[in-house]
Amino acid sequence: MNGLGESEQDRRRHRSASYGRTVRVRGGEALISDGPFAETKEQIGGFDILECASLDEALEVAGKHPVARFGAIDLRPFWQE
């Protein structure tokens, strides 16, 4: 933590929405879309930070998230320094 109560992780920036993937699970099948395709009725209910070795691993983990079964998971990578 620094003097402002922020950890190093708090200051990382994620890439823009154009780098994102959206994961939904319907009927037991993962549906993956390039880019952000949130519908206007959807709201952000929070966020999780996934530490994965690759995009494929992140997509697999997101597909197992409970919210993916009734909502959508928006995946975006962090900027690499």
Side-chain angles (χ1 to χ4, degrees), residues 33-64:
S33 304
D34 289 342
F37 293 102
E39 298 177 21
T40 57
K41 66 181 178 178
E42 295 175 340
Q43 298 179 15
I44 294 175
F47 68 93
D48 295 320
I49 296 176
L50 307 177
E51 293 191 30
C52 299
S54 67
L55 175 60
D56 289 337
E57 181 183 0
L59 292 169
E60 181 181 346
V61 171
K64 294 176 182 176

Side-chain angles (χ1 to χ4, degrees), residues 11 19 24 32 42 51 56 60 62 65 72 77 79 81:
R11 294 193 306 260
Y19 286 88
R24 293 177 176 86
I32 300 168
E42 295 175 340
E51 293 191 30
D56 289 337
E60 181 181 346
H65 195 289
W79 284 101
E81 295 183 27

